[in-house]
Each structure stands twice: as structure tokens, then as C-alpha cells.
Amino acid sequence: LAATVIAACGNASASPALRHNSPSGGGHSATAAASFTSVARASRLRTRAAAVHASGPVDRYPAALTARWQTITTIAGRPALWIAVRRGVTLVRINQRVVHLALHAGSVDPGGSGWRYGDAVAGREIHHLILAFNGGFKFSTRSGGFVSFGRVGVPLSAGFGSIVTYRTGKTQIGAWEGGVPARSVGIASVRQNLHLLIDHGVPNSSVAGCGAACWGATIGNQVTVARSALGIRADGQLVWGAGESLTVGGLAGAMIAARVQRAVQLDINPDWVAGYLYVHHPTTPLTPVPVVPGQYGIYGHLLVPYSRDFFTVLST
């Protein structure tokens, strides 16, 4: 692959939980924000694209995050990812013509072994890894379903907001049996979480007046916490959005400002919201770079077994 690519994602818990991002169960990664700054600075100072293969990902990480979309990854000269910050939400735009989404099963959620994409990025996938971010709520909350390559981890429910990836490599988002899935197209994976946060470019009517009952319990019953979502625009591009201090309405508003037509809220609360961009080096291991400034982070950066489900974005 090529020199520098970034990755980030944020994830949170659907209910109050003790922080357990390290093997011993202690605290969050104290170096997440520092890593974000130091790796970004180093990438600006060194040669931008010492590519091993011309088709490999090339990083053009901006000197500062702004409300304007800035290209952060290109593949074979084609933009793959863009980044912006709007209304306190870090937004990553994903070009499905260049990359595709993969849904990973966690060791606990949904559990089990033998999944096509398991509880860590490994094997050949690691060479195509560009971005990774958290999945949805714990399945014990009965807030969604999980299916991967014909195997059911948690049964799907009609009407739930669904992230559907087809075997063609394209991902679509909509209400299950009310927009998705497409007929006569093979399904690779489905991740459901609650009802749609955004539909037809309009936020769910409950975002203003319904809290935990509609959008998940928060630590200390706070209204403003870490939140994340995945949406799709009319042009087919995906948008992952996350922040450390958001209301559900604020998250929806920023996604709509990014021209998102339909979106699913993913996980919430600081322990469970995180995303990474991955810097590829010719002869050394990947360097994960946190996407969301100040995110708590996930132990092992999704490169070692993880208990929760998550998504990766891969070069094709």
C-alpha cells in the first residue's frame, strides 16, 4: 500500500457502564488527543506519498480541521475520504466508488467465532484498511439486529434503521422493509440500531423532546454526551459523524448540514464512540490516528480482539 492514511471513529455505550478500554478494565487512552496532534503534525512534515504501489492510499491531512470539506485520502488519484467539522461534529465523507464498508462481529456483541469479519482487523484486510469506527448499541438493549454473509447474530426487526451492505460492495441506509433491502441484490451484512435518526433529509420528530427512551441511556442521564451516526447522501456517499459533547438533535443537524438524507444513530457515551484513520508504512506496522479530537479511544485500536461490533472502510 502507500504511505499515509488516517483513521478515526468514535463509539459510545447505550447505557451507563464502567470504562474498560484496557485489558485490566482501567480508564480511557490518555494519549488519544495527543496522538491525533502529533501524528498529524508528523505526517505534514514528512514526504506525503512514499507509495509502495501507485494505487495505494495517499494522505493529504489538513493543517487544521475546518467547516470546509478537505480531502484526506486519495486512491489512485481519486478522492476516497474527506473531513470537516461542523457544529461540533467531526464528519468523514466516504466515496463508495473507491472504497467499501465491512461490518465486524465483536467477541461479545454479537459473539461467536467464524465470522467473515471477526473481532479484530487481521489477515489480508489489514492491507486495505483505511478507516474504522464503532458500531451500534449492545444487543442486550434489544435495539437492533446483526447479519453477516447469511449468518444471523441477532434477528432483524421491521422498521428499524438499517445499514445494509450488498455483495456488490455498495452500502445503503434505510428502514428495514420500508426502503431496504433492495430486491434481487445479495446482502453481505446488515446492522440495525433503533429507528432512523434522519429520513428524507429531516430529523426524527422525537429528537427534540425524547431522550433516553428513544435514543439511549446516557452516563449520569446527561443530555450532551459522545454520540455517533452513519448516514448516506443523495449522491451515494456515506457520512460518519461523531463528537464528544453532542445532543441527539445536534448530531442530526450536523449530518443534515452535510446533505445526509437518511441516517442511523450508532453508539453513544464516551467509552463506545471512537474512530481511526490508519497510516500505512512500507516496512513498519500501521499507525492508528484518532479522528475525533479528544475521543477516549478503544484499546488496541481495533487491531486486536474487541468485544463490540464495528465497521471498517477498505480500499477495493
Side-chain angles (χ1 to χ4, degrees):
L1 284 174
T4 312
V5 180
I6 359 182
C9 76
N11 72 351
S13 70
S15 59
L18 293 176
R19 298 186 176 97
H20 55 278
N21 294 329
S22 67
S24 62
H28 63 78
S29 171
T31 62
S35 295
F36 182 93
T37 301
S38 62
V39 175
R41 183 182 299 116
S43 68
R44 294 195 298 270
L45 293 175
R46 63 176 170 261
T47 303
R48 292 290 183 182
V52 176
H53 299 295
S55 61
V58 176
D59 166 45
R60 293 189 178 91
Y61 193 81
L65 301 182
T66 69
R68 179 177 61 86
W69 289 114
Q70 300 181 75
T71 304
I72 54 175
T73 303
T74 60
I75 297 175
R78 304 174 68 186
L81 302 179
W82 298 262
I83 195 167
V85 176
R86 298 176 182 177
R87 305 183 185 186
V89 180
T90 301
L91 302 161
V92 178
R93 208 168 95 219
I94 302 165
N95 184 358
Q96 291 203 81
R97 294 182 179 180
V98 180
V99 298
H100 65 275
L101 202 66
L103 175 63
H104 280 253
S107 61
V108 175
D109 283 293
S113 60
W115 295 95
R116 175 75 65 91
Y117 293 101
D119 59 6
V121 180
R124 296 178 61 184
E125 183 189 10
I126 203 165
H127 300 294
H128 298 272
L129 180 62
I130 296 173
L131 175 71
F133 51 86
N134 58 277
F137 287 2
K138 292 181 177 181
F139 292 112
S140 60
T141 64
R142 301 190 179 187
S143 301
F146 185 105
V147 171
S148 176
F149 290 90
R151 179 177 173 182
V152 178
V154 179
L156 304 176
S157 298
F160 274 33
S162 302
I163 300 164
V164 183
T165 299
Y166 298 105
R167 291 181 184 258
T168 61
K170 294 296 185 287
T171 295
Q172 186 56 263
I173 296 174
W176 189 252
E177 298 181 1
V180 293
R183 295 181 179 180
S184 303
V185 182
I187 293 173
S189 66
V190 182
R191 180 44 158 116
Q192 296 183 322
N193 203 57
L194 305 173
H195 292 81
L196 287 175
L197 175 65
I198 299 167
D199 194 12
H200 294 91
V202 177
N204 190 293
S205 60
S206 67
V207 300
C210 184
C214 298
W215 302 104
T218 61
I219 294 176
N221 296 317
Q222 299 176 71
V223 174
T224 303
V225 294
R227 298 181 187 273
S228 61
L230 184 68
I232 191 165
R233 304 179 356 148
D235 60 8
Q237 293 180 359
L238 300 173
V239 177
W240 180 73
E244 290 299 296
S245 184
L246 301 173
T247 64
V248 65
L251 175 61
M255 298 287 281
I256 291 170
R259 297 170 50 194
V260 165
Q261 291 295 301
R262 295 176 302 284
V264 171
Q265 179 185 268
L266 296 176
D267 221 338
I268 64 174
N269 293 318
D271 288 319
W272 307 112
V273 172
Y276 297 92
L277 283 160
Y278 295 87
V279 178
H280 288 259
H281 307 285
T283 59
T284 57
L286 294 175
T287 301
V289 181
V291 170
V292 181
Q295 69 178 35
Y296 273 39
I298 295 171
Y299 173 77
H301 312 110
L302 305 173
L303 300 174
V304 300
Y306 182 52
S307 63
R308 307 291 302 279
D309 65 283
F310 62 93
F311 291 95
T312 56
V313 175
L314 309 172
S315 61
T316 55

